Amino acid sequence: MGIGITQEQRDLAGAVAGWVARTVPPEEVRKLLDAAPGRHGRPAYWDALAAQGLLGLHLPEADGGGGGALLDLAVVLEELGRAALPGPFLPTTLAAALLHRAGARPLVRALATGQLLGAVALGSGTLTAAGTADGYVLDGTAPPVLAGADADLIVLAAEAPTGTVWLAVDAAALTVRVQESADPTRPTAEVVAHGVPVPGARLLDLDDTLVHDLAGVLFAAESCGTAARALTTATEHATVREQFGRPIGQFQAVKHLCADMLVRCEQARALVWDAARAAHEPPGPRGLTAALATATALDAAFSCAKDCIQILGGIGFTWEHDAHLHLRRALVARQLLGGGDLHRRRAARLAADGARRALRLELPAEADRYRAEARA
């Protein structure tokens, strides 16, 4: 299978780019910077997004989706990341993907058709789940939840006597407070449970590695868009900004910096596409590709956003330019998932484990062959 995407997926990317440019132009995003802190509510574009079929693109048609794959969603997320789309698209589609894996079909359909907004807490924080006759009782605080203040349904992890459990909890039963986030266009929220009962039917058959693998792939896909927007902004500026009578893009330092940004973008894209294809593989290959994609894409977004501001010079540091919006988006992604080194260490562990398993399988066969040759 080729590492690239198909022409149909390229056409999908172009259609999404056109839709978001018309529906949520940059001036609409910037309005959120000056808005009072608090809940933004259901975005004005949400119904149109659902009508386009983008919320359930990666889900089966039987569950209200479009019958596509996670790679199709990754292609869409890159374009929405390029536009710094505000709101809970990424958290909602991640929640839908996890609920689909857990077999919670009614909730999946509600998310895929835009009836509910979703969010996912990436970790358990101090949440505990005490078992009851018909479910669990939640207490404690979750880690910061991206777009949690606007969600109707939040996927939470909690520590139970039997280990970590994942639960789909109605946001109305929780205490949710908008946090002062580095990215006010999509702030995080503090989610607290005070003796919240959760029915046993809301217990999800998920494990930590699957949740973090899927989250990593989707955040990485969006980060590719952040990096690509930074690259485009920097190169366009370098062709028109002149110093000493020449475009700054002709200077070696700027030229090489833009080339390095391009390499980072292309590496991240290739790894994300590979990880999205491997989403249904066994935990080892899935985790390895997800860890590499997450590490590379999140670092690429952060470093490209910073390099873009450097190439822009004085204008890049101003509130009026959009460059800081993309740096904010990249910064929050790293805060939620961790920096690239964390994921690279995980990739190294998974690769070493895979190599050890392969050796254990191969060595007995080699020993038998040598014994047979010796007897002969």
mmCIF file of all heavy atoms in Angstrom, residues 15-17 19-20 23-24 42-57 64 73 76-77 79-80 85-93 111-117:
data_model
loop_
_atom_site.group_PDB
_atom_site.id
_atom_site.type_symbol
_atom_site.label_atom_id
_atom_site.label_comp_id
_atom_site.label_asym_id
_atom_site.label_seq_id
_atom_site.Cartn_x
_atom_site.Cartn_y
_atom_site.Cartn_z
ATOM 1 N N ALA A 15 -12.154 20.285 -0.768
ATOM 2 C CA ALA A 15 -13.538 20.665 -0.457
ATOM 3 C C ALA A 15 -13.655 21.200 0.965
ATOM 4 O O ALA A 15 -14.357 22.190 1.218
ATOM 5 C CB ALA A 15 -14.457 19.464 -0.649
ATOM 6 N N VAL A 16 -12.972 20.558 1.905
ATOM 7 C CA VAL A 16 -13.022 21.013 3.296
ATOM 8 C C VAL A 16 -12.364 22.383 3.431
ATOM 9 O O VAL A 16 -12.873 23.261 4.145
ATOM 10 C CB VAL A 16 -12.332 19.982 4.220
ATOM 11 C CG1 VAL A 16 -12.178 20.538 5.637
ATOM 12 C CG2 VAL A 16 -13.142 18.694 4.248
ATOM 13 N N ALA A 17 -11.243 22.587 2.739
ATOM 14 C CA ALA A 17 -10.570 23.882 2.789
ATOM 15 C C ALA A 17 -11.490 24.990 2.269
ATOM 16 O O ALA A 17 -11.560 26.080 2.857
ATOM 17 C CB ALA A 17 -9.273 23.833 1.983
ATOM 18 N N TRP A 19 -14.815 24.912 2.194
ATOM 19 C CA TRP A 19 -15.948 25.075 3.124
ATOM 20 C C TRP A 19 -15.560 25.903 4.341
ATOM 21 O O TRP A 19 -16.270 26.824 4.732
ATOM 22 C CB TRP A 19 -16.448 23.703 3.564
ATOM 23 C CG TRP A 19 -17.552 23.807 4.575
ATOM 24 C CD1 TRP A 19 -18.887 23.975 4.326
ATOM 25 C CD2 TRP A 19 -17.409 23.774 6.007
ATOM 26 N NE1 TRP A 19 -19.589 24.043 5.510
ATOM 27 C CE2 TRP A 19 -18.702 23.926 6.552
ATOM 28 C CE3 TRP A 19 -16.331 23.634 6.860
ATOM 29 C CZ2 TRP A 19 -18.938 23.944 7.924
ATOM 30 C CZ3 TRP A 19 -16.547 23.651 8.228
ATOM 31 C CH2 TRP A 19 -17.832 23.801 8.751
ATOM 32 N N VAL A 20 -14.431 25.597 4.945
ATOM 33 C CA VAL A 20 -14.052 26.304 6.165
ATOM 34 C C VAL A 20 -13.680 27.753 5.865
ATOM 35 O O VAL A 20 -13.924 28.655 6.683
ATOM 36 C CB VAL A 20 -12.907 25.558 6.899
ATOM 37 C CG1 VAL A 20 -11.575 25.720 6.196
ATOM 38 C CG2 VAL A 20 -12.797 26.031 8.339
ATOM 39 N N THR A 23 -17.114 29.436 5.628
ATOM 40 C CA THR A 23 -17.987 29.348 6.792
ATOM 41 C C THR A 23 -17.366 29.933 8.049
ATOM 42 O O THR A 23 -18.055 30.587 8.850
ATOM 43 C CB THR A 23 -18.362 27.872 7.050
ATOM 44 O OG1 THR A 23 -18.840 27.287 5.822
ATOM 45 C CG2 THR A 23 -19.447 27.769 8.113
ATOM 46 N N VAL A 24 -16.071 29.697 8.244
ATOM 47 C CA VAL A 24 -15.398 30.196 9.457
ATOM 48 C C VAL A 24 -14.115 30.914 9.024
ATOM 49 O O VAL A 24 -13.003 30.405 9.219
ATOM 50 C CB VAL A 24 -15.063 29.041 10.434
ATOM 51 C CG1 VAL A 24 -14.678 29.597 11.799
ATOM 52 C CG2 VAL A 24 -16.241 28.080 10.584
ATOM 53 N N ARG A 42 -22.720 25.684 21.472
ATOM 54 C CA ARG A 42 -22.658 24.995 20.184
ATOM 55 C C ARG A 42 -22.248 25.992 19.090
ATOM 56 O O ARG A 42 -22.884 27.034 18.925
ATOM 57 C CB ARG A 42 -24.025 24.406 19.863
ATOM 58 C CG ARG A 42 -24.100 23.629 18.553
ATOM 59 C CD ARG A 42 -25.490 23.054 18.371
ATOM 60 N NE ARG A 42 -25.732 22.011 19.371
ATOM 61 C CZ ARG A 42 -25.586 20.703 19.136
ATOM 62 N NH1 ARG A 42 -25.245 20.291 17.938
ATOM 63 N NH2 ARG A 42 -25.808 19.830 20.087
ATOM 64 N N PRO A 43 -21.194 25.688 18.340
ATOM 65 C CA PRO A 43 -20.753 26.634 17.302
ATOM 66 C C PRO A 43 -21.839 26.871 16.259
ATOM 67 O O PRO A 43 -22.652 25.992 15.951
ATOM 68 C CB PRO A 43 -19.546 25.920 16.674
ATOM 69 C CG PRO A 43 -19.086 24.950 17.708
ATOM 70 C CD PRO A 43 -20.322 24.508 18.438
ATOM 71 N N ALA A 44 -21.842 28.061 15.702
ATOM 72 C CA ALA A 44 -22.842 28.409 14.687
ATOM 73 C C ALA A 44 -22.721 27.539 13.446
ATOM 74 O O ALA A 44 -23.701 27.311 12.736
ATOM 75 C CB ALA A 44 -22.693 29.887 14.321
ATOM 76 N N TYR A 45 -21.527 27.033 13.185
ATOM 77 C CA TYR A 45 -21.300 26.233 11.985
ATOM 78 C C TYR A 45 -21.607 24.754 12.190
ATOM 79 O O TYR A 45 -21.485 23.966 11.249
ATOM 80 C CB TYR A 45 -19.851 26.381 11.512
ATOM 81 C CG TYR A 45 -18.837 25.862 12.515
ATOM 82 C CD1 TYR A 45 -18.573 24.499 12.639
ATOM 83 C CD2 TYR A 45 -18.139 26.732 13.337
ATOM 84 C CE1 TYR A 45 -17.653 24.015 13.559
ATOM 85 C CE2 TYR A 45 -17.220 26.269 14.266
ATOM 86 C CZ TYR A 45 -16.977 24.906 14.370
ATOM 87 O OH TYR A 45 -16.079 24.443 15.289
ATOM 88 N N TRP A 46 -22.006 24.342 13.405
ATOM 89 C CA TRP A 46 -22.067 22.915 13.728
ATOM 90 C C TRP A 46 -23.068 22.154 12.866
ATOM 91 O O TRP A 46 -22.784 21.057 12.384
ATOM 92 C CB TRP A 46 -22.394 22.729 15.201
ATOM 93 C CG TRP A 46 -22.018 21.378 15.726
ATOM 94 C CD1 TRP A 46 -22.850 20.345 16.048
ATOM 95 C CD2 TRP A 46 -20.698 20.904 15.990
ATOM 96 N NE1 TRP A 46 -22.139 19.271 16.495
ATOM 97 C CE2 TRP A 46 -20.808 19.586 16.470
ATOM 98 C CE3 TRP A 46 -19.429 21.480 15.865
ATOM 99 C CZ2 TRP A 46 -19.700 18.827 16.819
ATOM 100 C CZ3 TRP A 46 -18.324 20.722 16.209
ATOM 101 C CH2 TRP A 46 -18.469 19.412 16.688
ATOM 102 N N ASP A 47 -24.253 22.734 12.662
ATOM 103 C CA ASP A 47 -25.262 22.049 11.845
ATOM 104 C C ASP A 47 -24.786 21.879 10.405
ATOM 105 O O ASP A 47 -25.018 20.837 9.775
ATOM 106 C CB ASP A 47 -26.583 22.812 11.884
ATOM 107 C CG ASP A 47 -27.259 22.730 13.245
ATOM 108 O OD1 ASP A 47 -26.914 21.824 14.026
ATOM 109 O OD2 ASP A 47 -28.125 23.584 13.531
ATOM 110 N N ALA A 48 -24.099 22.898 9.896
ATOM 111 C CA ALA A 48 -23.571 22.799 8.532
ATOM 112 C C ALA A 48 -22.480 21.738 8.462
ATOM 113 O O ALA A 48 -22.376 20.988 7.480
ATOM 114 C CB ALA A 48 -23.021 24.150 8.085
ATOM 115 N N LEU A 49 -21.677 21.649 9.513
ATOM 116 C CA LEU A 49 -20.630 20.631 9.573
ATOM 117 C C LEU A 49 -21.242 19.235 9.563
ATOM 118 O O LEU A 49 -20.772 18.335 8.865
ATOM 119 C CB LEU A 49 -19.803 20.847 10.840
ATOM 120 C CG LEU A 49 -18.467 20.127 10.960
ATOM 121 C CD1 LEU A 49 -17.471 20.687 9.947
ATOM 122 C CD2 LEU A 49 -17.916 20.284 12.366
ATOM 123 N N ALA A 50 -22.315 19.058 10.345
ATOM 124 C CA ALA A 50 -22.995 17.766 10.381
ATOM 125 C C ALA A 50 -23.638 17.454 9.031
ATOM 126 O O ALA A 50 -23.608 16.304 8.569
ATOM 127 C CB ALA A 50 -24.045 17.766 11.484
ATOM 128 N N ALA A 51 -24.214 18.485 8.396
ATOM 129 C CA ALA A 51 -24.851 18.274 7.098
ATOM 130 C C ALA A 51 -23.837 17.856 6.033
ATOM 131 O O ALA A 51 -24.179 17.115 5.095
ATOM 132 C CB ALA A 51 -25.575 19.549 6.661
ATOM 133 N N GLN A 52 -22.594 18.302 6.177
ATOM 134 C CA GLN A 52 -21.541 17.903 5.247
ATOM 135 C C GLN A 52 -21.102 16.455 5.476
ATOM 136 O O GLN A 52 -20.348 15.895 4.677
ATOM 137 C CB GLN A 52 -20.330 18.825 5.411
ATOM 138 C CG GLN A 52 -20.567 20.259 4.979
ATOM 139 C CD GLN A 52 -20.620 20.408 3.479
ATOM 140 O OE1 GLN A 52 -19.987 19.658 2.739
ATOM 141 N NE2 GLN A 52 -21.383 21.370 2.999
ATOM 142 N N GLY A 53 -21.527 15.862 6.585
ATOM 143 C CA GLY A 53 -21.147 14.491 6.897
ATOM 144 C C GLY A 53 -19.760 14.354 7.495
ATOM 145 O O GLY A 53 -19.234 13.235 7.610
ATOM 146 N N LEU A 54 -19.154 15.465 7.941
ATOM 147 C CA LEU A 54 -17.783 15.417 8.417
ATOM 148 C C LEU A 54 -17.665 14.881 9.838
ATOM 149 O O LEU A 54 -16.621 14.357 10.222
ATOM 150 C CB LEU A 54 -17.155 16.816 8.339
ATOM 151 C CG LEU A 54 -17.058 17.408 6.932
ATOM 152 C CD1 LEU A 54 -16.446 18.793 6.973
ATOM 153 C CD2 LEU A 54 -16.237 16.491 6.020
ATOM 154 N N LEU A 55 -18.731 14.994 10.632
ATOM 155 C CA LEU A 55 -18.657 14.507 12.013
ATOM 156 C C LEU A 55 -18.588 12.985 12.089
ATOM 157 O O LEU A 55 -18.010 12.429 13.027
ATOM 158 C CB LEU A 55 -19.874 15.005 12.807
ATOM 159 C CG LEU A 55 -19.927 16.500 13.091
ATOM 160 C CD1 LEU A 55 -21.266 16.872 13.720
ATOM 161 C CD2 LEU A 55 -18.781 16.915 14.002
ATOM 162 N N GLY A 56 -19.187 12.320 11.116
ATOM 163 C CA GLY A 56 -19.195 10.859 11.130
ATOM 164 C C GLY A 56 -18.480 10.245 9.953
ATOM 165 O O GLY A 56 -18.714 9.084 9.620
ATOM 166 N N LEU A 57 -17.589 11.007 9.360
ATOM 167 C CA LEU A 57 -16.890 10.546 8.163
ATOM 168 C C LEU A 57 -16.193 9.207 8.378
ATOM 169 O O LEU A 57 -16.154 8.354 7.489
ATOM 170 C CB LEU A 57 -15.872 11.611 7.751
ATOM 171 C CG LEU A 57 -15.046 11.356 6.497
ATOM 172 C CD1 LEU A 57 -15.929 11.391 5.264
ATOM 173 C CD2 LEU A 57 -13.932 12.390 6.383
ATOM 174 N N GLY A 64 -24.769 6.068 11.424
ATOM 175 C CA GLY A 64 -24.963 7.456 11.039
ATOM 176 C C GLY A 64 -23.754 8.107 10.429
ATOM 177 O O GLY A 64 -23.741 9.323 10.221
ATOM 178 N N LEU A 73 -10.632 10.955 8.081
ATOM 179 C CA LEU A 73 -10.768 11.962 9.141
ATOM 180 C C LEU A 73 -9.456 12.716 9.327
ATOM 181 O O LEU A 73 -9.455 13.936 9.560
ATOM 182 C CB LEU A 73 -11.199 11.297 10.443
ATOM 183 C CG LEU A 73 -11.334 12.217 11.662
ATOM 184 C CD1 LEU A 73 -12.360 13.314 11.416
ATOM 185 C CD2 LEU A 73 -11.701 11.405 12.902
ATOM 186 N N VAL A 76 -9.208 15.444 6.819
ATOM 187 C CA VAL A 76 -10.081 16.566 7.175
ATOM 188 C C VAL A 76 -9.471 17.378 8.306
ATOM 189 O O VAL A 76 -9.458 18.624 8.281
ATOM 190 C CB VAL A 76 -11.480 16.049 7.573
ATOM 191 C CG1 VAL A 76 -12.324 17.169 8.160
ATOM 192 C CG2 VAL A 76 -12.176 15.443 6.361
ATOM 193 N N LEU A 77 -8.949 16.700 9.316
ATOM 194 C CA LEU A 77 -8.378 17.402 10.466
ATOM 195 C C LEU A 77 -7.187 18.267 10.073
ATOM 196 O O LEU A 77 -6.987 19.344 10.651
ATOM 197 C CB LEU A 77 -7.965 16.395 11.540
ATOM 198 C CG LEU A 77 -9.098 15.912 12.445
ATOM 199 C CD1 LEU A 77 -8.653 14.699 13.258
ATOM 200 C CD2 LEU A 77 -9.559 17.025 13.384
ATOM 201 N N GLU A 79 -6.834 19.919 7.296
ATOM 202 C CA GLU A 79 -7.366 21.159 6.719
ATOM 203 C C GLU A 79 -7.996 22.052 7.789
ATOM 204 O O GLU A 79 -7.847 23.279 7.747
ATOM 205 C CB GLU A 79 -8.381 20.836 5.629
ATOM 206 C CG GLU A 79 -7.779 20.181 4.418
ATOM 207 C CD GLU A 79 -6.655 21.002 3.800
ATOM 208 O OE1 GLU A 79 -6.787 22.244 3.735
ATOM 209 O OE2 GLU A 79 -5.647 20.401 3.398
ATOM 210 N N LEU A 80 -8.685 21.457 8.746
ATOM 211 C CA LEU A 80 -9.289 22.257 9.810
ATOM 212 C C LEU A 80 -8.216 22.818 10.740
ATOM 213 O O LEU A 80 -8.360 23.919 11.278
ATOM 214 C CB LEU A 80 -10.295 21.412 10.596
ATOM 215 C CG LEU A 80 -11.475 20.879 9.778
ATOM 216 C CD1 LEU A 80 -12.442 20.117 10.677
ATOM 217 C CD2 LEU A 80 -12.204 22.013 9.062
ATOM 218 N N LEU A 85 -9.603 25.938 13.176
ATOM 219 C CA LEU A 85 -11.038 25.913 13.436
ATOM 220 C C LEU A 85 -11.302 25.873 14.941
ATOM 221 O O LEU A 85 -10.816 24.989 15.640
ATOM 222 C CB LEU A 85 -11.671 24.690 12.782
ATOM 223 C CG LEU A 85 -13.188 24.556 12.979
ATOM 224 C CD1 LEU A 85 -13.918 25.532 12.065
ATOM 225 C CD2 LEU A 85 -13.652 23.128 12.700
ATOM 226 N N PRO A 86 -12.070 26.807 15.468
ATOM 227 C CA PRO A 86 -12.418 26.745 16.891
ATOM 228 C C PRO A 86 -13.524 25.723 17.127
ATOM 229 O O PRO A 86 -14.179 25.264 16.196
ATOM 230 C CB PRO A 86 -12.911 28.171 17.180
ATOM 231 C CG PRO A 86 -13.463 28.649 15.874
ATOM 232 C CD PRO A 86 -12.624 27.997 14.801
ATOM 233 N N GLY A 87 -13.718 25.375 18.393
ATOM 234 C CA GLY A 87 -14.817 24.478 18.722
ATOM 235 C C GLY A 87 -14.387 23.037 18.873
ATOM 236 O O GLY A 87 -13.218 22.672 18.722
ATOM 237 N N PRO A 88 -15.371 22.171 19.144
ATOM 238 C CA PRO A 88 -15.067 20.806 19.590
ATOM 239 C C PRO A 88 -15.056 19.745 18.497
ATOM 240 O O PRO A 88 -15.411 18.597 18.759
ATOM 241 C CB PRO A 88 -16.202 20.542 20.576
ATOM 242 C CG PRO A 88 -17.372 21.265 19.963
ATOM 243 C CD PRO A 88 -16.804 22.491 19.307
ATOM 244 N N PHE A 89 -14.639 20.090 17.266
ATOM 245 C CA PHE A 89 -14.667 19.060 16.225
ATOM 246 C C PHE A 89 -13.739 17.906 16.570
ATOM 247 O O PHE A 89 -14.145 16.740 16.532
ATOM 248 C CB PHE A 89 -14.283 19.654 14.865
ATOM 249 C CG PHE A 89 -14.261 18.630 13.759
ATOM 250 C CD1 PHE A 89 -15.437 18.255 13.130
ATOM 251 C CD2 PHE A 89 -13.083 18.007 13.372
ATOM 252 C CE1 PHE A 89 -15.436 17.292 12.123
ATOM 253 C CE2 PHE A 89 -13.061 17.051 12.373
ATOM 254 C CZ PHE A 89 -14.246 16.699 11.751
ATOM 255 N N LEU A 90 -12.481 18.202 16.882
ATOM 256 C CA LEU A 90 -11.541 17.120 17.187
ATOM 257 C C LEU A 90 -11.993 16.304 18.404
ATOM 258 O O LEU A 90 -12.038 15.069 18.335
ATOM 259 C CB LEU A 90 -10.129 17.689 17.399
ATOM 260 C CG LEU A 90 -8.975 16.683 17.485
ATOM 261 C CD1 LEU A 90 -7.655 17.374 17.178
ATOM 262 C CD2 LEU A 90 -8.874 15.997 18.838
ATOM 263 N N PRO A 91 -12.351 16.931 19.535
ATOM 264 C CA PRO A 91 -12.809 16.117 20.676
ATOM 265 C C PRO A 91 -14.047 15.280 20.372
ATOM 266 O O PRO A 91 -14.166 14.146 20.844
ATOM 267 C CB PRO A 91 -13.097 17.165 21.757
ATOM 268 C CG PRO A 91 -12.285 18.339 21.384
ATOM 269 C CD PRO A 91 -12.249 18.356 19.892
ATOM 270 N N THR A 92 -14.966 15.822 19.583
ATOM 271 C CA THR A 92 -16.192 15.092 19.275
ATOM 272 C C THR A 92 -15.909 13.881 18.392
ATOM 273 O O THR A 92 -16.429 12.780 18.633
ATOM 274 C CB THR A 92 -17.212 16.017 18.595
ATOM 275 O OG1 THR A 92 -17.589 17.058 19.507
ATOM 276 C CG2 THR A 92 -18.471 15.254 18.193
ATOM 277 N N THR A 93 -15.091 14.064 17.363
ATOM 278 C CA THR A 93 -14.786 12.939 16.480
ATOM 279 C C THR A 93 -13.929 11.888 17.196
ATOM 280 O O THR A 93 -14.064 10.690 16.923
ATOM 281 C CB THR A 93 -14.081 13.422 15.209
ATOM 282 O OG1 THR A 93 -12.950 14.243 15.555
ATOM 283 C CG2 THR A 93 -15.037 14.241 14.342
ATOM 284 N N LEU A 111 -23.436 11.488 18.212
ATOM 285 C CA LEU A 111 -22.272 12.326 17.928
ATOM 286 C C LEU A 111 -22.074 12.504 16.425
ATOM 287 O O LEU A 111 -21.751 13.606 15.959
ATOM 288 C CB LEU A 111 -21.022 11.706 18.546
ATOM 289 C CG LEU A 111 -20.943 11.686 20.075
ATOM 290 C CD1 LEU A 111 -19.774 10.832 20.538
ATOM 291 C CD2 LEU A 111 -20.812 13.099 20.639
ATOM 292 N N ALA A 112 -22.279 11.429 15.665
ATOM 293 C CA ALA A 112 -22.038 11.479 14.223
ATOM 294 C C ALA A 112 -23.021 12.397 13.511
ATOM 295 O O ALA A 112 -22.688 12.975 12.471
ATOM 296 C CB ALA A 112 -22.106 10.077 13.631
ATOM 297 N N THR A 113 -24.211 12.520 14.035
ATOM 298 C CA THR A 113 -25.233 13.351 13.388
ATOM 299 C C THR A 113 -25.324 14.752 13.978
ATOM 300 O O THR A 113 -26.184 15.535 13.581
ATOM 301 C CB THR A 113 -26.609 12.668 13.494
ATOM 302 O OG1 THR A 113 -26.904 12.396 14.876
ATOM 303 C CG2 THR A 113 -26.617 11.365 12.715
ATOM 304 N N GLY A 114 -24.449 15.071 14.914
ATOM 305 C CA GLY A 114 -24.410 16.418 15.466
ATOM 306 C C GLY A 114 -25.377 16.689 16.588
ATOM 307 O O GLY A 114 -25.493 17.839 17.033
ATOM 308 N N GLN A 115 -26.084 15.667 17.069
ATOM 309 C CA GLN A 115 -27.024 15.891 18.169
ATOM 310 C C GLN A 115 -26.302 16.185 19.478
ATOM 311 O O GLN A 115 -26.790 16.950 20.310
ATOM 312 C CB GLN A 115 -27.918 14.666 18.342
ATOM 313 C CG GLN A 115 -28.749 14.313 17.124
ATOM 314 C CD GLN A 115 -29.447 12.972 17.293
ATOM 315 O OE1 GLN A 115 -29.975 12.675 18.361
ATOM 316 N NE2 GLN A 115 -29.440 12.150 16.258
ATOM 317 N N LEU A 116 -25.147 15.559 19.674
ATOM 318 C CA LEU A 116 -24.358 15.749 20.886
ATOM 319 C C LEU A 116 -22.958 16.237 20.527
ATOM 320 O O LEU A 116 -22.430 15.903 19.463
ATOM 321 C CB LEU A 116 -24.244 14.448 21.678
ATOM 322 C CG LEU A 116 -25.520 13.828 22.251
ATOM 323 C CD1 LEU A 116 -25.187 12.520 22.957
ATOM 324 C CD2 LEU A 116 -26.222 14.788 23.205
ATOM 325 N N LEU A 117 -22.362 17.003 21.431
ATOM 326 C CA LEU A 117 -20.969 17.386 21.339
ATOM 327 C C LEU A 117 -20.200 16.545 22.355
ATOM 328 O O LEU A 117 -20.680 16.330 23.476
ATOM 329 C CB LEU A 117 -20.777 18.869 21.653
ATOM 330 C CG LEU A 117 -21.020 19.870 20.523
ATOM 331 C CD1 LEU A 117 -22.466 19.824 20.045
ATOM 332 C CD2 LEU A 117 -20.675 21.289 20.993
#
